[in-house]
Amino acid sequence: MGRHGWEPGARRWRLTALLGVGVAALALVVTLINTLPGSGSTAGTTRDGAKVHGTPATPPNADKPDVGWGFTHTQYSADEGDPAATERVEGLLSKAGSLPQNQHIMGWGADNPEPVKGRYDFAAMDRRVDFIRKSGGTPVITLCCSPDWMKGGRAGVDRTDWSQAALETAPTPDHYKDFAALAATVARRYPDITHFIVWNEFKGFWNDARARWDYEGYTQLYNLVYGALKKVNDKIMVGGPYLVMDSVDPREQDASAVLKGTWGAMDQRVLDAFGYWNRHRAGADFVVVDGSSYTKDDDLLPNEFGATDKLTAVGQWVRRQTHDLPLWWAEYYVEPADGHDDRRTWTEPHRVAVQAAGLIALVKGGASSGFYWNPEEEKGAGCAGCLWTPTDGGDGGRPLPMLDLVSRFNQAFPPGSSYASVSVAPDDVPNVRVLATDRTVLVVNTLDRPISAQVDGKRFDMKAYEVKWLKR
């Protein structure tokens, strides 16, 4: 889909200069030993991929299908960088109240986990899991993407194709069982991780001939992975289908006649794919979708705040189809990206306000868990929309406004929250978005100017695009 890019975790080899002919000869011997005929290099891999890594933790919500509101690690995160900066982020996340943290098994900061069949490289994954454990997060693993040899490419540490097109290619049907076996290996390696999402955005499952999603192929893969994970530990919780809930102009050919609103209309092909998976899935402990408030043409209808109503409508529809399975949003977007997939045109107050409105819309649609796609940068002082500043220097790892929003939202509205209605003055209804429990009220000013609002019987001033938290 290319909405957020794939951001692969490039291998970070540091080659030391070879000293002397003897050392060079020894290196050649090692290279030959670590290369299987026709399979490419196996250097740095091991056969014991299922060996338990590190010291498993006891994360919060390990036995519940809902994990709350957190974020996804992308190519750059705080598992690497200056020690002072990475430790600072660990502390921030620990104090933030055990944010759920999601990590993919290949790409987005992780290397090829099985470059040759039966030979594993989990070094990058291990580092991410260690970071999640140390920062007290609830770990979630997204089972995407797949090694090259499972999708028509070549095996070998030195043969991984990190292009976006290659990474977003699904396993071929004859390798679905191999991918399920890899998923089981991952589950055995990290026994404290009990939440798994199967694949990402139907990547590689588009059927050109039929101009629709290959939902039969995805569902076959999903069911095999589901069964493999349950055999490892029947307490593992599995969810899918992680479809992009695309919307279009209501006048388009593929526009749904059933699920539509002022925000546009759902792409009927997405609804068809969801329906097939829902009818033929082997099981599911939670349901996973992703999507944006804007249309496929990046139209915010009727505006950036009104467009978030789509997230509510989609959530309510999904919950009806699945008879109220716990609903997760693996990704959610409210700010269209540019051609480089960057979102830098809004000010940070504007961004945070629309993101807060989006989170409110997700909850009103019945969602209990969601993951902010953290667009972290490797270097620099600033980072639009990021949770913290880059960790390349000792002064890095400083909190940014989006971290405050995500962490406070997770603390104020955890899974199982009972939501309450609050009074809003009639004149203020068009200008604010509100979410409340019996203890907390979140209020968002949707205008680019100061206002005086009366909410829950209290009148107060709000700055342009201000996000305010009230105690009850």
Side-chain angles (χ1 to χ4, degrees), residues 265-346:
M266 281 298 300
D267 188 323
Q268 185 60 44
R269 296 169 297 181
V270 174
L271 303 186
D272 293 342
F274 186 93
Y276 183 92
W277 170 83
N278 193 39
R279 293 190 300 272
H280 295 90
R281 56 184 167 85
D285 300 287
F286 51 90
V287 60
V288 185
V289 296
D290 95 339
S292 60
S293 60
Y294 44 88
T295 70
K296 290 172 66 175
D297 294 324
D298 290 345
D299 291 327
L300 289 161
L301 304 174
N303 55 52
E304 71 270 41
F305 288 97
T308 64
D309 291 342
K310 168 192 169 179
L311 306 178
T312 298
V314 169
Q316 291 172 340
W317 181 87
V318 169
R319 293 270 286 173
R320 288 195 300 270
Q321 309 310 305
T322 62
H323 304 291
D324 291 337
L325 269 179
L327 171 59
W328 293 19
W329 283 79
E331 304 171 41
Y332 51 91
Y333 299 92
V334 298
E335 179 182 1
D338 62 18
H340 300 287
D341 203 43
D342 290 325
R343 295 170 173 83
R344 299 177 180 176
T345 57
W346 291 356

Side-chain angles (χ1 to χ4, degrees), residues 22-314:
V23 176
L26 177 60
L28 177 60
V29 172
V30 171
T31 299
L32 292 173
I33 291 174
N34 287 328
T35 302
L36 300 178
S39 297
S41 172
T42 61
T45 64
T46 178
R47 293 187 182 276
D48 60 352
K51 180 181 178 181
V52 174
H53 167 70
T55 303
T58 304
N61 300 314
D63 59 346
K64 300 176 182 177
D66 309 284
V67 294
W69 305 93
F71 66 94
T72 292
H73 290 277
T74 53
Q75 180 179 3
Y76 305 112
S77 195
D79 58 309
E80 290 189 298
D82 187 281
T86 59
E87 290 176 12
R88 185 173 292 116
V89 178
E90 286 177 12
L92 289 172
L93 296 179
S94 296
K95 293 178 182 178
S98 303
L99 289 177
Q101 300 177 40
N102 176 37
Q103 174 62 45
H104 292 65
I105 64 169
M106 180 175 174
W108 298 281
D111 292 331
N112 188 335
E114 192 179 2
V116 175
K117 186 172 183 177
R119 305 285 304 203
Y120 303 95
D121 178 7
F122 285 115
M125 272 290 295
D126 289 348
R127 189 172 59 245
R128 286 282 168 96
V129 170
D130 287 341
F131 178 83
I132 296 172
R133 287 171 175 170
K134 286 189 290 185
S135 58
T138 299
V140 174
I141 285 182
T142 293
L143 295 165
C144 183
C145 293
S146 68
D148 294 55
W149 60 271
M150 293 187 191
K151 54 195 178 189
R154 300 188 299 169
V157 170
D158 54 341
R159 295 177 176 177
T160 298
D161 184 348
W162 286 111
S163 68
Q164 183 172 350
L167 192 74
E168 295 187 351
T169 298
T172 56
D174 57 317
H175 286 296
Y176 286 174
K177 290 183 179 179
D178 290 318
F179 187 79
L182 173 59
T185 298
V186 172
R188 292 188 177 96
R189 187 173 187 85
Y190 312 114
D192 49 335
I193 301 182
T194 55
H195 298 87
F196 289 81
I197 301 172
V198 182
W199 208 242
N200 172 306
E201 294 187 335
F202 265 46
K203 286 179 168 60
F205 284 99
W206 178 257
N207 187 319
D208 283 320
R210 298 186 179 183
R212 67 164 175 82
W213 293 108
D214 176 18
Y215 39 73
E216 299 95 339
Y218 169 80
T219 304
Q220 182 183 354
L221 175 69
Y222 174 90
N223 287 342
L224 287 169
V225 172
Y226 179 91
L229 292 174
K230 292 293 186 177
K231 286 182 180 178
V232 172
N233 180 0
D234 61 5
K235 293 183 180 180
I236 285 177
M237 284 162 277
V238 187
Y242 202 153
L243 266 167
V244 183
M245 306 305 283
D246 279 328
S247 54
V248 297
D249 186 296
R251 295 167 295 183
E252 288 194 17
Q253 177 181 347
D254 296 308
S256 170
V258 177
L259 186 50
K260 58 184 179 179
T262 56
W263 43 266
M266 281 298 300
D267 188 323
Q268 185 60 44
R269 296 169 297 181
V270 174
L271 303 186
D272 293 342
F274 186 93
Y276 183 92
W277 170 83
N278 193 39
R279 293 190 300 272
H280 295 90
R281 56 184 167 85
D285 300 287
F286 51 90
V287 60
V288 185
V289 296
D290 95 339
S292 60
S293 60
Y294 44 88
T295 70
K296 290 172 66 175
D297 294 324
D298 290 345
D299 291 327
L300 289 161
L301 304 174
N303 55 52
E304 71 270 41
F305 288 97
T308 64
D309 291 342
K310 168 192 169 179
L311 306 178
T312 298
V314 169

